[in-house]
mmCIF file of all heavy atoms in Angstrom:
data_model
loop_
_atom_site.group_PDB
_atom_site.id
_atom_site.type_symbol
_atom_site.label_atom_id
_atom_site.label_comp_id
_atom_site.label_asym_id
_atom_site.label_seq_id
_atom_site.Cartn_x
_atom_site.Cartn_y
_atom_site.Cartn_z
ATOM 1 N N LEU I 44 -4.624 -94.778 103.683
ATOM 2 C CA LEU I 44 -5.093 -93.807 104.673
ATOM 3 C C LEU I 44 -6.431 -94.214 105.279
ATOM 4 O O LEU I 44 -6.657 -94.026 106.474
ATOM 5 C CB LEU I 44 -5.202 -92.423 104.029
ATOM 6 C CG LEU I 44 -3.863 -91.752 103.693
ATOM 7 C CD1 LEU I 44 -4.103 -90.474 102.911
ATOM 8 C CD2 LEU I 44 -3.070 -91.491 104.946
ATOM 9 N N PHE I 45 -7.313 -94.788 104.470
ATOM 10 C CA PHE I 45 -8.599 -95.267 104.984
ATOM 11 C C PHE I 45 -8.387 -96.395 105.980
ATOM 12 O O PHE I 45 -9.032 -96.437 107.034
ATOM 13 C CB PHE I 45 -9.476 -95.744 103.822
ATOM 14 C CG PHE I 45 -10.803 -96.282 104.242
ATOM 15 C CD1 PHE I 45 -11.799 -95.430 104.696
ATOM 16 C CD2 PHE I 45 -11.062 -97.640 104.198
ATOM 17 C CE1 PHE I 45 -13.023 -95.932 105.110
ATOM 18 C CE2 PHE I 45 -12.286 -98.141 104.596
ATOM 19 C CZ PHE I 45 -13.272 -97.278 105.051
ATOM 20 N N LEU I 46 -7.488 -97.313 105.674
ATOM 21 C CA LEU I 46 -7.193 -98.412 106.596
ATOM 22 C C LEU I 46 -6.548 -97.895 107.884
ATOM 23 O O LEU I 46 -6.878 -98.348 108.979
ATOM 24 C CB LEU I 46 -6.274 -99.421 105.901
ATOM 25 C CG LEU I 46 -6.068 -100.761 106.557
ATOM 26 C CD1 LEU I 46 -7.392 -101.468 106.754
ATOM 27 C CD2 LEU I 46 -5.156 -101.618 105.705
ATOM 28 N N ALA I 47 -5.647 -96.920 107.758
ATOM 29 C CA ALA I 47 -5.013 -96.336 108.945
ATOM 30 C C ALA I 47 -6.039 -95.606 109.808
ATOM 31 O O ALA I 47 -5.965 -95.643 111.037
ATOM 32 C CB ALA I 47 -3.897 -95.390 108.526
ATOM 33 N N TYR I 48 -6.996 -94.929 109.175
ATOM 34 C CA TYR I 48 -8.038 -94.244 109.941
ATOM 35 C C TYR I 48 -8.902 -95.251 110.708
ATOM 36 O O TYR I 48 -9.286 -95.016 111.850
ATOM 37 C CB TYR I 48 -8.923 -93.418 109.005
ATOM 38 C CG TYR I 48 -10.076 -92.760 109.692
ATOM 39 C CD1 TYR I 48 -9.876 -91.669 110.515
ATOM 40 C CD2 TYR I 48 -11.374 -93.250 109.547
ATOM 41 C CE1 TYR I 48 -10.936 -91.062 111.181
ATOM 42 C CE2 TYR I 48 -12.425 -92.664 110.205
ATOM 43 C CZ TYR I 48 -12.211 -91.572 111.016
ATOM 44 O OH TYR I 48 -13.251 -90.984 111.677
ATOM 45 N N GLY I 49 -9.193 -96.387 110.098
ATOM 46 C CA GLY I 49 -9.969 -97.419 110.779
ATOM 47 C C GLY I 49 -9.230 -97.996 111.976
ATOM 48 O O GLY I 49 -9.846 -98.382 112.973
ATOM 49 N N LEU I 50 -7.913 -98.040 111.908
ATOM 50 C CA LEU I 50 -7.115 -98.576 113.018
ATOM 51 C C LEU I 50 -6.855 -97.540 114.104
ATOM 52 O O LEU I 50 -6.356 -97.872 115.176
ATOM 53 C CB LEU I 50 -5.773 -99.094 112.480
ATOM 54 C CG LEU I 50 -5.855 -100.300 111.559
ATOM 55 C CD1 LEU I 50 -4.490 -100.559 110.935
ATOM 56 C CD2 LEU I 50 -6.328 -101.527 112.296
ATOM 57 N N SER I 51 -7.193 -96.283 113.842
ATOM 58 C CA SER I 51 -6.870 -95.235 114.799
ATOM 59 C C SER I 51 -7.653 -95.351 116.106
ATOM 60 O O SER I 51 -7.188 -94.909 117.142
ATOM 61 C CB SER I 51 -7.112 -93.862 114.170
ATOM 62 O OG SER I 51 -8.487 -93.642 113.961
ATOM 63 N N LYS I 52 -8.838 -95.975 116.076
ATOM 64 C CA LYS I 52 -9.616 -96.133 117.317
ATOM 65 C C LYS I 52 -8.868 -97.019 118.310
ATOM 66 O O LYS I 52 -8.752 -96.673 119.491
ATOM 67 C CB LYS I 52 -10.982 -96.741 117.014
ATOM 68 C CG LYS I 52 -11.814 -96.972 118.256
ATOM 69 C CD LYS I 52 -13.117 -97.649 117.956
ATOM 70 C CE LYS I 52 -13.815 -98.001 119.236
ATOM 71 N NZ LYS I 52 -14.950 -98.864 119.044
ATOM 72 N N ASP I 53 -8.328 -98.138 117.829
ATOM 73 C CA ASP I 53 -7.574 -99.006 118.722
ATOM 74 C C ASP I 53 -6.298 -98.329 119.204
ATOM 75 O O ASP I 53 -5.898 -98.496 120.344
ATOM 76 C CB ASP I 53 -7.208 -100.314 118.005
ATOM 77 C CG ASP I 53 -8.383 -101.263 117.930
ATOM 78 O OD1 ASP I 53 -9.300 -101.122 118.760
ATOM 79 O OD2 ASP I 53 -8.382 -102.141 117.053
ATOM 80 N N SER I 54 -5.677 -97.544 118.339
ATOM 81 C CA SER I 54 -4.459 -96.838 118.749
ATOM 82 C C SER I 54 -4.760 -95.829 119.837
ATOM 83 O O SER I 54 -4.012 -95.713 120.806
ATOM 84 C CB SER I 54 -3.833 -96.119 117.549
ATOM 85 O OG SER I 54 -3.509 -97.037 116.551
#
Side-chain angles (χ1 to χ4, degrees):
L44 290 173
F45 179 73
L46 192 57
Y48 176 74
L50 294 171
S51 69
K52 178 184 173 191
D53 283 337
S54 300

